Amino acid sequence: NEYKSYLRMTSGSVYDKVHIQVNGTNETFSWVDLALKLGFNETFHMDKLQKSEETLHAVNIAWMMFATVLVFFMQAGFTMVEVGSVRVKNTKSILIKNLVDACMGSVLFFFYGWAFAFGDGNKFIGHNGFAMQSGFNQNGTDIPDPYQYALWTFQFTFCATASTIVSGAVAERTQLGAYLVYTFFLVTLIYPPIAHWCWTESGWAGVQNPEPLFGVGAIDFAGVTVVHVTGGTCALIGAFMVGPRQGRFSKNSKIGKQNATFQVLGTFILWFGWYGFNCGSTLGLGGGLSNAAAKVGVTTTISATASGTTTILLNFFLDHKFDPATVCNGILAGLVSITGACSVVQPEGAFGIGVIGAHVYYFSAKMLTRLQIDDVVEASPVHLFCGIWGSLATGIFANKDAANDAYNYPESDMGTGLLYKPSLGIKQLGANFVFLLAAMSWAAAIATPLFLILKIMRVLRINNIHEVKGMDKVAHGGTAYENQVATTNSTG
């Protein structure tokens, strides 16, 4: 009866530590020592425990790979949304950029990205695991750890998602070479340190740090700041630096979109993949994480549908129409808004986050139009502005009971929002705000001079003649549809 208060398993090994409160005193045992102290037979019971560990390890790996497939499939969703949003004459340009994100992103993440993000290091950046040469074996042995392989693949898909966000924002007028340069910097220097700050024990901002920020640490369960705010910040800077498409803000602008069907199909694919993005971020199913994954599925769904419904109403009452593209982005706005808090809020909190997220998306998109910033797919309103809201919403709506299922830190003040206990909520909101500000500043500090240098060198934007003809004819060997010739006017 003495060994019954708070148990926490830090990973899947029987030799990892269990933190227990014994008669008011904190003590630490390995699972092996604890089993022996409780009188378990060393051979019979430990054999059963070892088999149970192996089974759980296999289940966790299978869960991770399943989630990875869902998240990687989101690349197809981004592609469809972007193709549907541009004119026919720039279809191949979008396709090649999304292929570049996956291929070049993987190579760079293999050599540098993983090491900087998740390798052992200091509070700012990792510095081991380059080209997977270290950090992938089991507890100091020479035996490869398949779970680490699964984790690498999962985290690569997150990095690729952050990179893809920019593609749609700068579509139809950006040179491919400039996009390759941007991709290199995002995958190697922009994204990895931000991921390291929040998602490693040594990072200065996250809840895993033994001395977390403000005593609670910034909560970003599935990457609202790490992925969406990072990518959205670069998207906004890129769209501003490259300038609007010809005729985009002229009085009688006729710039259209290629295919609403592609946009809706892409949105449903992204929504489908988002369950891997959010639910899969439990990184396993053992130790109560299956409960958290189930709850995340609910909060993800409610936020997306609440935001989509709210956007339909805003579109009707303020614009007097039902525009599928606007509603699609409203759904995505809800998905982005809930990404960081999906595991630490209750369903009613997810509803509130989604409703407010719709307003953030709708009015930020209107604001960019007024400022004549041409973001073709409205990536900045969806990913940056809704990402900012989602990060702050965690500090408002976080519920301690829900947070315990996901993080299992019952002794910590982490996971309590302003609505439940203001004295603790202000700490959580403050931690998330500081991390948000740091991530935006870091992304902007690299992306701004990068795009500016490319602009000064005149390699950022295609020339006016090529823009009128369409990038497919000029740079990609002809139109995307063999039986259809893309016109060269503004609606082509």
Side-chain angles (χ1 to χ4, degrees):
N1 291 331
E2 292 178 338
Y3 300 96
K4 69 179 182 180
S5 187
Y6 296 127
L7 302 179
R8 177 161 61 87
M9 187 173 180
T10 56
S11 67
S13 172
V14 295
Y15 299 101
D16 284 335
K17 302 300 181 183
V18 188
H19 306 287
I20 307 176
Q21 196 174 75
V22 183
N23 294 332
T25 303
N26 292 324
E27 296 191 21
T28 302
F29 302 95
S30 72
W31 283 99
V32 175
D33 292 339
L34 177 60
L36 296 176
K37 274 187 171 293
L38 292 174
F40 285 14
N41 179 280
E42 183 171 356
T43 55
F44 176 73
H45 289 287
M46 288 308 298
D47 181 62
K48 293 181 67 177
L49 187 60
Q50 185 71 39
K51 289 181 179 179
S52 176
E53 176 203 359
E54 292 172 357
T55 301
L56 178 60
H57 201 56
V59 169
N60 287 340
I61 292 171
W63 171 247
M64 287 284 292
M65 294 311 301
F66 174 67
T68 297
V69 170
L70 294 181
V71 178
F72 189 69
F73 191 47
M74 292 173 71
Q75 294 291 323
F78 279 114
T79 302
M80 294 299 290
V81 168
E82 292 169 21
V83 166
S85 301
V86 302
R87 292 163 289 183
V88 173
K89 62 185 181 182
N90 295 310
T91 300
K92 282 186 176 180
S93 173
I94 288 295
L95 298 177
I96 193 65
K97 286 176 182 175
N98 282 273
L99 290 169
V100 163
D101 283 326
C103 296
M104 183 174 171
S106 173
V107 172
L108 293 172
F109 195 70
F110 169 67
F111 282 108
Y112 302 104
W114 168 270
F116 288 151
F118 300 102
D120 295 333
N122 52 40
K123 291 185 177 181
F124 179 75
I125 197 168
H127 49 63
N128 99 313
F130 296 100
M132 302 177 74
Q133 293 302 300
S134 60
F136 286 84
N137 294 334
Q138 298 180 20
N139 293 333
T141 69
D142 293 330
I143 303 174
D145 185 352
Y147 181 83
Q148 286 296 109
Y149 289 149
L151 185 62
W152 184 95
T153 314
F154 184 69
Q155 293 296 350
F156 148 67
T157 62
F158 273 54
C159 186
T161 298
S163 179
T164 302
I165 290 170
V166 179
S167 173
V170 299
E172 299 202 284
R173 73 272 199 204
T174 304
Q175 293 193 38
L176 180 61
Y179 190 77
L180 296 177
V181 173
Y182 150 77
T183 299
F184 173 85
F185 277 89
L186 185 134
V187 176
T188 58
L189 292 179
I190 298 177
Y191 176 88
I194 296 173
H196 184 82
W197 299 345
C198 190
W199 286 344
T200 65
E201 287 189 11
S202 57
W204 61 268
V207 298
Q208 299 179 59
N209 190 308
E211 298 179 355
L213 185 63
F214 299 151
V216 293
I219 295 177
D220 188 0
F221 188 74
V224 67
T225 301
V226 173
V227 176
H228 297 285
V229 169
T230 299
T233 299
C234 296
L236 180 60
I237 294 170
F240 175 76
M241 288 289 186
V242 75
R245 293 165 289 174
Q246 292 185 59
R248 169 65 179 88
F249 295 109
S250 63
K251 187 175 181 180
N252 298 313
S253 175
K254 295 182 180 179
I255 293 181
K257 300 178 186 293
Q258 178 179 159
N259 195 313
T261 303
F262 290 169
Q263 291 176 294
V264 173
L265 177 59
T267 299
F268 274 117
I269 292 174
L270 288 171
W271 191 349
F272 175 76
W274 225 288
Y275 291 107
F277 208 92
N278 286 4
C279 300
S281 289
T282 59
L283 306 182
L285 293 176
L289 292 177
S290 58
N291 298 335
K295 170 71 80 62
V296 168
V298 171
T299 57
T300 299
T301 302
I302 291 175
S303 182
T305 52
S307 183
T309 302
T310 304
T311 304
I312 291 173
L313 297 175
L314 289 170
N315 193 211
F316 175 73
F317 286 109
L318 298 182
D319 296 329
H320 310 293
K321 60 183 178 181
F322 296 109
D323 178 29
T326 301
V327 177
C328 283
N329 280 336
I331 294 169
L332 298 179
L335 290 166
V336 170
S337 297
I338 196 61
T339 295
C342 57
S343 66
V344 298
V345 298
Q346 300 292 8
E348 60 271 19
F351 181 83
I353 290 173
V355 169
I356 297 174
H359 287 80
V360 172
Y361 153 68
Y362 184 86
F363 290 107
S364 62
K366 296 292 185 184
M367 178 187 70
L368 291 189
T369 301
R370 280 183 172 273
L371 295 174
Q372 296 193 355
I373 296 176
D374 185 13
D375 183 337
V376 178
V377 299
E378 298 183 331
S380 308
V382 170
H383 297 279
L384 174 57
F385 293 106
C386 289
I388 292 171
W389 158 240
S391 182
L392 299 178
T394 304
I396 299 172
F397 291 95
N399 176 273
K400 184 62 176 176
D401 292 335
N404 283 343
D405 285 339
Y407 291 97
N408 199 12
Y409 294 156
E411 70 280 4
S412 169
D413 291 336
M414 181 273 298
T416 302
L418 281 173
L419 290 180
Y420 293 94
K421 193 172 183 180
S423 61
L424 296 180
I426 195 67
K427 292 182 179 181
Q428 192 63 69
L429 182 62
N432 274 45
F433 176 75
V434 169
F435 174 56
L436 170 68
L437 191 62
M440 292 177 63
S441 300
W442 177 254
I446 297 177
T448 302
L450 172 62
F451 282 115
L452 184 59
I453 291 171
L454 293 172
K455 185 174 183 178
I456 293 173
M457 295 176 64
R458 297 185 178 183
V459 295
L460 178 60
R461 183 174 180 134
I462 60 175
N463 65 51
N464 292 341
I465 296 175
H466 289 173
E467 185 176 348
V468 172
K469 288 183 177 180
M471 298 178 70
D472 290 359
K473 276 190 173 183
V474 173
H476 305 294
T479 60
Y481 308 103
E482 293 184 3
N483 296 326
Q484 178 178 354
V485 178
T487 62
T488 59
N489 60 34
S490 62
T491 61

